[in-house]
Amino acid sequence: MTIEAVQGLPANERRRLFDIWETAPGLYGWLATVDHKKIGIRYLCTAFFFLIVGGVEALTMRIQLAQPGLKLLSPEAYNQLFSMHGVTMIFLYALPMLSGFSNYLWPLLLGSRDMAFPRLNALSYWVYLFAGIFLYISFPLGQAPNGGWFNYVPNTELQYDPGINIDIYSLGLIFLGISTVVGSANFVVTLLRCRAPGMSVNRLPILVWGTLTASVANLLAVPAVSLACFLLWMDRRYYTHFYAISGGGQPLLWQHLFWVFGHPWVYALVLPGMGIVSDALPVFCRRPLVGYTLVAISTVSTMILGFGVWVHHMFATGLPIVALSFFSAASFVIAIPSAIAVFAWIATIWTGRPQFKTPFLFFAGFVLLFVIGGVSGFMTASVALDWQLTDTYFIVAHLHYVLLGINVFPVVGGIHFWFPKITGRMMDERLGKWTFWTMFVGFNLAFFPMHLIGLMGMPRRVYTYSAELGVGGYNLLISFGAFLFAAGILLLLINIIRSRTEGAVAGPNPWDAPTLEWSVSSPPPPYNFAVIPVIASRHPLWEDRLDETPDRSTIHRGLVLDEGKETVGITVLDAEPDVILKMPADSLLPLLAALGMMVIFSGMLFINYWVMAAGALWTGLVLLVWLAPRDHASTERPTVYG
Amino acid sequence: MKRAVAGLFSLLMLSNCARAPLGYLDGAGPAARSIASLGWGLLGISVAVCLITGALLVFSIFRRRSQTDGLGGGDDRSALRWIGVGLSITTVLLLASAVWTLWTVRGLSDTSRAAAVTIDVTGQQWWWEVRYRSDTPSREFSTANDLVIPAGVPVQLNLRSRDVVHSFWVPKLAGKMDMIPGQTNRIRIEADRPGIYRGQCSEFCGMQHAQMAFFVIALAPADFQTWWNHQLEPARSDPDAAAQQTFMEHCAACHAIRGLSAGGILGPNLSHFGSRRTIAAGILPNDSRNIALWLRDSQGVKPGSKMPELHLAANEVDTLTAYLEGLK
């Protein structure tokens, strides 16, 4: 059996670990699981579902825009669709999809048995799911958010938008923010405490760097948008005047609060995607990444600079020229770390031996899209030129090259890459290549011409346009490309569904990849690692062949930790074993807490104080039980195997 | 050869872009022109970067290699040196672009030439109120959706909003400037030659954001003075009492006409309406068929528009159409 070949622990010991770690069978286990792998798969599936929903919204809009003056959609319907398309893709697809990868992979990459806070992990997923449902309840009510994902005031104040559309938006984002913040905190603490011994910071996979950086950024950025939304809700329902000028409020306050969150958020949506490429592309080049340290540093510095460029979304708001010049210059500088990453990827391919498997195609295609999205970003960084470019289709082209190029392409490549690990079966190569070429051609047909119609001055966020602009032909081509791209996603879906049962059996390491997740069986056992490995390099499974240093990681010998649900806690910097962490068992508390919050937010939506109070009481009681004192760690001497 | 054809083709496409009515790669005034040359410059750098990086990528994938099966590859140090070279070029280009940008901004902020006219433009859902300012209060007047300016001189615009955020944009003449409630943003526009330039709201402002256009009409300075003087006269010299009566009954609560007691300020000032280019903020050419259509079915033409359905009788529509068309 494959497990034996990879993990040297005797069968009875493995059985014991299996019994300790396995999620309970049946409905209870389904609702109560805290296994990071199960939660990760849920994130991936839910986010993929929202990708399809957001995609259908986009296709509907593309039919309306295929020719000037079409009347398929009413202006109100179009405005709801484009707002929900943005909200769905940015909030419900892009980050949760990456959280799915990271949730599934982090403990496996880091050599741990779970995330630092498994129950918090489950809470993060349930809150995400319920917030998604909360936002989508608006559709059957015909009152979906209609102020754009950026939701500028005063257009979204009660006076101009009297329905519950915007209340759903603002409360939904606050609700979702809880999920993001607890998830991010979990990633940060997991990195600090739950790595395998020897996994020092210079040995972390770049995906870990990306998610870590994004998580720290989220902790700092999400409160800004939650606050902005809360103030808006107060303006709308309690007649405060944070944004309304009639009471001395300031519309630009919204824009600052929103973009001081929004711009770092964009980087949070791409850095883990870049991490996926930095880790998986080298596998198909048969060599380690060129310039690991540079890429890790560029990841972090992108994020730091990312906090200093938000005003480039506000170049046309009439702020003083000195301020604009500063933010313009900062926006140019942020291209430098991105350039480092591009050069490192190309150098890796150049000095490696590319294998043309499906994931490689997605990653190589990604590099090209990254460059195109990057240079159009460079053009918008110029404050003077941006006065023309902003709010035209040029920006729509730019942001889709960035978000699809740097998020969707790495994600789909990552799905092909880790599918064998997650399911134990390979995806079909031929269908995979068809998927890539359909998506790649469709994507460029759909989004490249948007640069041109942007330069021709077609404004964005319009439900129709005049034939006089001369952009009808391009728009028809764009709509055709959008449907071709969607066909690519459909092929991907077919491949996933078919390969799950019919794909070739993968074995533990089908790609001959170097990192820890490939040292365990596919799919991994509930306990991940039979013994806690000790890490001696960035490429534990390539050490013998690369022979860079005399040190070797030990994967088959080490701590067993079978006295209960345990994993090892390490010191922050040196990754020395420090403590044995007692991990929590399956629990319904996360689901119950998330349900309680759903009740609170529903009460807030309809301003019903009884419902709000009931939800608060419910959530409070659940948290009380959750936080009841118990043993979290022990320093007893653990069993060492081997 | 193929590459040359492709290059020529893309250049043609881009010059097409420049000629489009809202295209800004070709300016018709000093501000738009200096942005356009910056635009061409940065576009050139961008295209070059894409082509070079794309070529590097393709070559790195398909270049010939010695056939070995082992792991690892080449000397990282020489690869890192090349990364250093690429990074230096990138940094120089970025620095140059930043300097060029700031230089352009400096030029655009130059107000040493005095503005010939000052005009207040107020955005509202979903049309543009235009008020001409003068030191002599009696020479001030309001119009809508047509912004008439003298050519060859700078014109000062004070941009405001009556409701939500809009953005004022005439791509052939200048970059965008937002109209934000509670503040006045100032911008200068100048057209080299007499002509007609399309404008468009470019900040999402609610249901009919898509249909909030306008036109800037640049006249020779002498023609502009004549036009201004004409605007100060009553709209019609041959008052048609019956038509005026109909107008007062159905329209005067929201619309004003110079020389009439109609003084509504919710909708556009309709003095000299007949001489304007379009109806409903740039969406219908101003002719009798469209005026009648707009009077009969404003919500069908522009759903959500603040112009209500008037439920007029057919003869009232005809009377009003003829009357409005006559307001030259």
Side-chain angles (χ1 to χ4, degrees):
Chain A
M1 172 114 179
T2 45
I3 299 177
E4 227 149 62
V6 182
Q7 300 271 12
L9 203 66
N12 61 332
E13 278 291 325
R14 279 187 285 112
R15 184 72 228 170
R16 197 175 144 80
L17 280 172
F18 191 88
D19 291 341
I20 293 172
W21 284 86
E22 195 198 13
T23 299
L27 185 66
Y28 173 77
W30 201 81
L31 296 174
T33 186
V34 293
D35 181 343
H36 73 96
K37 297 182 288 300
K38 290 198 169 14
I39 295 169
I41 292 171
R42 284 177 188 183
Y43 258 109
L44 292 173
C45 293
T46 314
F48 199 87
F49 171 76
F50 279 120
L51 174 72
I52 291 170
V53 173
V56 170
E57 287 159 3
L59 293 178
T60 317
M61 291 189 286
R62 279 321 312 177
I63 299 175
Q64 162 80 5
L65 293 176
Q67 285 291 288
L70 292 187
K71 290 197 167 144
L72 172 77
L73 294 171
S74 72
E76 177 59 22
Y78 184 91
N79 290 346
Q80 292 191 11
L81 275 178
F82 95 76
S83 305
M84 283 307 281
H85 170 71
V87 167
T88 305
M89 291 307 202
I90 290 170
F91 292 107
L92 300 177
Y93 157 73
L95 192 81
M97 183 55 111
L98 298 172
S99 300
F101 275 108
S102 297
N103 259 312
Y104 189 92
L105 290 170
W106 263 46
L108 290 166
L109 288 169
L110 293 175
S112 168
R113 281 181 176 160
D114 207 324
M115 301 279 287
F117 304 118
R119 292 186 299 186
L120 205 58
N121 211 12
L123 176 71
S124 164
Y125 172 76
W126 291 120
V127 170
Y128 156 55
L129 178 69
F130 290 153
I133 294 171
F134 185 87
L135 282 161
Y136 263 90
I137 282 176
S138 61
F139 252 112
L141 298 177
Q143 305 227 36
N146 56 357
W149 86 284
F150 53 96
N151 203 57
Y152 275 9
V153 296
N155 187 41
T156 51
E157 291 271 5
L158 195 65
Q159 186 186 353
Y160 302 104
D161 207 331
I164 58 166
N165 320 51
I166 302 302
D167 300 302
I168 290 179
Y169 169 93
S170 39
L171 294 172
L173 287 199
I174 298 172
F175 193 12
L176 183 65
I178 297 171
S179 161
T180 313
V181 167
V182 297
S184 300
N186 202 357
F187 281 126
V188 173
V189 177
T190 301
L191 177 98
L192 295 179
R193 290 293 267 169
C194 293
R195 291 169 276 151
M199 178 68 84
S200 48
V201 287
N202 58 339
R203 291 172 184 158
L204 299 175
I206 302 287
L207 171 61
V208 173
W209 276 111
T211 309
L212 172 73
T213 313
S215 300
V216 173
N218 283 338
L219 287 177
L220 298 171
V222 171
V225 78
S226 298
L227 174 69
C229 286
F230 184 70
L231 300 185
L232 177 59
W233 181 69
M234 295 279 284
D235 263 18
R236 287 173 59 85
R237 297 299 165 190
Y238 294 95
Y239 311 106
T240 56
H241 296 92
F242 291 103
Y243 308 118
I245 50 157
S246 57
Q250 174 51 267
L252 278 186
L253 174 63
W254 170 272
Q255 297 191 20
H256 280 294
L257 285 175
F258 187 81
W259 290 119
V260 88
F261 146 81
H263 203 84
W265 179 265
V266 174
Y267 287 107
L269 301 184
V270 299
L271 289 175
M274 292 161 70
I276 288 176
V277 176
S278 296
D279 289 342
L281 174 72
V283 175
F284 297 95
C285 298
R286 311 309 301 149
R287 59 150 301 142
L289 179 71
V290 173
Y292 167 91
T293 312
L294 277 177
V295 174
I297 291 174
S298 79
T299 304
V300 177
S301 52
T302 300
M303 199 70 244
I304 293 171
L305 290 170
F307 273 93
V309 297
W310 82 91
V311 167
H312 73 212
H313 297 268
M314 303 167 61
F315 276 161
T317 52
L319 293 173
I321 292 290
V322 175
L324 297 183
S325 304
F326 170 82
F327 282 98
S328 182
S331 306
F332 277 118
V333 171
I334 206 165
I336 292 176
S338 307
I340 294 179
V342 170
F343 292 138
W345 294 320
I346 292 180
T348 305
I349 300 175
W350 188 291
T351 55
R353 275 180 292 280
Q355 296 180 311
F356 300 110
K357 303 282 188 193
T358 307
F360 177 82
L361 296 182
F362 275 97
F363 300 142
F366 146 89
V367 175
L368 190 65
L369 304 183
F370 184 100
V371 172
I372 297 176
V375 295
S376 57
F378 148 81
M379 289 174 68
T380 57
S382 163
V383 52
L385 185 55
D386 188 69
W387 285 331
Q388 294 283 25
L389 296 175
T390 187
D391 281 306
T392 68
Y393 260 80
F394 192 87
I395 306 296
V396 183
H398 163 66
L399 79 91
H400 283 92
Y401 267 84
V402 170
L403 288 179
L404 277 90
I406 318 184
N407 183 299
V408 175
F409 275 80
V411 159
V412 177
I415 288 175
H416 284 89
F417 182 61
W418 280 296
F419 188 85
K421 179 51 57 188
I422 296 173
T423 65
R425 290 177 184 274
M426 305 296 289
M427 281 175 77
D428 186 69
E429 261 303 299
R430 226 166 74 98
L431 196 50
K433 290 198 167 101
W434 274 98
T435 309
F436 169 75
W437 287 110
T438 315
M439 282 178 66
F440 190 74
V441 172
F443 174 83
N444 284 295
L445 279 182
F447 294 103
F448 195 81
M450 286 188 184
H451 291 111
L452 297 174
I453 60 173
L455 292 172
M456 292 169 85
M458 176 161 169
R460 65 191 288 210
R461 298 163 184 156
V462 294
Y463 74 93
T464 191
Y465 52 94
S466 160
E468 288 166 40
L469 301 189
V471 293
Y474 289 112
N475 271 300
L476 192 61
L477 181 66
I478 290 168
S479 296
F480 171 74
F483 277 90
L484 192 60
F485 183 75
I489 297 284
L490 193 66
L491 289 180
L492 170 68
L493 198 62
I494 293 171
N495 199 351
I496 291 175
I497 292 170
R498 263 190 24 186
S499 304
R500 233 171 69 85
T501 49
E502 291 167 29
V505 174
N509 193 359
W511 310 112
D512 184 21
T515 35
L516 274 183
E517 80 271 30
W518 302 103
S519 71
V520 299
S521 65
S522 306
Y527 47 84
N528 290 357
F529 298 94
V531 294
I532 304 292
V534 180
I535 306 306
S537 79
R538 264 174 233 150
H539 324 285
L541 307 188
W542 281 2
E543 281 164 359
D544 285 335
R545 283 174 285 169
L546 288 175
D547 203 22
E548 285 168 333
T549 59
D551 301 328
R552 293 291 179 266
S553 306
T554 53
I555 293 169
H556 308 304
R557 285 175 292 119
L559 300 171
V560 180
L561 303 180
D562 58 354
E563 300 295 312
K565 217 174 171 190
E566 295 170 334
T567 191
V568 70
I570 47 120
T571 57
V572 171
L573 289 179
D574 307 322
E576 298 288 345
D578 183 28
V579 71
I580 295 170
L581 300 170
K582 307 268 188 203
M583 306 306 274
D586 294 346
S587 165
L588 284 175
L589 292 172
L591 175 62
L592 294 177
L595 274 172
M597 291 182 208
M598 182 78 161
V599 173
I600 298 177
F601 281 97
S602 304
M604 288 168 79
L605 182 61
F606 298 107
I607 317 281
N608 184 321
Y609 294 103
W610 289 109
V611 176
M612 278 190 239
L617 190 68
W618 172 278
T619 314
L621 286 174
V622 172
L623 290 181
L624 214 61
V625 177
W626 186 322
L627 297 174
R630 64 179 186 93
D631 268 348
H632 288 287
S634 111
T635 43
E636 290 165 38
R637 207 178 148 67
T639 327
V640 176
Y641 171 77
Chain B
M1 182 60 204
K2 238 183 212 169
R3 201 165 291 173
V5 172
L8 205 67
F9 178 69
S10 45
L11 206 67
L12 269 176
M13 266 191 327
L14 284 173
S15 61
N16 244 348
C17 293
R19 272 199 299 276
L22 289 176
Y24 40 84
L25 286 176
D26 174 28
R33 216 173 17 250
S34 74
I35 298 180
S37 36
L38 177 69
W40 279 107
L42 298 194
L43 196 59
I45 294 175
S46 300
V47 172
V49 168
C50 283
L51 290 178
I52 292 170
T53 327
L56 279 174
L57 179 67
V58 170
F59 187 73
S60 73
I61 294 174
F62 293 110
R63 79 193 185 93
R64 289 175 67 95
R65 299 174 158 83
S66 54
Q67 292 300 317
T68 44
D69 291 331
L71 284 176
D75 177 14
D76 273 21
R77 238 184 288 169
S78 77
L80 286 174
R81 227 183 346 260
W82 282 108
I83 292 180
V85 171
L87 213 54
S88 316
I89 299 173
T90 309
T91 309
V92 169
L93 283 178
L94 288 171
L95 203 67
S97 307
V99 170
W100 191 355
T101 295
L102 297 183
W103 194 261
T104 308
V105 170
R106 198 180 99 125
L108 293 173
S109 332
D110 176 24
T111 50
S112 55
R113 286 170 68 210
V117 192
T118 301
I119 306 171
D120 293 350
V121 183
T122 305
Q124 38 205 312
Q125 290 178 328
W126 290 276
W127 61 283
W128 313 81
E129 182 189 290
V130 182
R131 182 159 186 85
Y132 288 77
R133 309 308 306 252
S134 166
D135 294 336
T136 322
S138 65
R139 285 188 59 79
E140 295 198 349
F141 66 93
S142 291
T143 173
N145 300 334
D146 276 0
L147 181 57
V148 180
I149 59 166
V153 287
V155 173
Q156 169 80 39
L157 301 181
N158 300 324
L159 304 176
R160 299 192 182 91
S161 165
R162 191 182 281 178
D163 38 43
V164 305
V165 179
H166 303 275
S167 191
F168 179 92
W169 188 39
V170 193
K172 293 280 184 217
L173 302 183
K176 297 177 183 75
M177 183 57 91
D178 288 352
M179 308 167 116
I180 299 170
Q183 73 184 60
T184 302
N185 283 338
R186 292 189 169 77
I187 189 177
R188 284 180 164 223
I189 60 173
E190 179 177 342
D192 297 329
R193 274 179 298 281
I196 294 167
Y197 308 100
R198 204 181 165 94
Q200 171 80 35
C201 176
S202 50
E203 186 58 80
F204 179 70
C205 57
M207 180 122 71
Q208 280 296 346
H209 164 60
Q211 311 235 46
M212 188 171 162
F214 64 102
F215 287 90
V216 172
I217 298 140
L219 302 175
D223 295 340
F224 177 73
Q225 276 315 320
T226 318
W227 176 82
W228 187 316
N229 292 333
H230 178 67
Q231 294 296 309
L232 297 174
E233 289 164 15
R236 229 182 131 130
S237 46
D238 55 331
D240 172 344
Q244 276 183 14
Q245 183 60 31
T246 317
F247 184 88
M248 291 303 292
E249 271 171 28
H250 294 286
C251 316
C254 300
H255 296 281
I257 289 182
R258 185 175 277 262
L260 231 61
S261 58
I265 54 165
L266 290 178
N269 185 312
L270 295 179
S271 315
H272 306 280
F273 170 80
S275 63
R276 292 183 200 157
R277 291 182 55 81
T278 61
I279 307 173
I283 66 171
L284 293 173
N286 189 359
D287 57 34
S288 52
R289 209 181 118 262
N290 285 331
I291 296 176
L293 175 66
W294 179 242
L295 288 173
R296 270 201 309 271
D297 187 20
S298 57
Q299 293 303 311
V301 175
K302 194 171 175 178
S305 155
K306 308 289 176 193
M307 168 99 165
E309 292 284 357
L310 295 170
H311 307 293
L312 297 170
N315 65 325
E316 287 175 318
V317 171
D318 294 341
T319 313
L320 278 175
T321 303
Y323 177 72
L324 289 169
E325 222 187 353
L327 298 170
K328 296 281 184 185

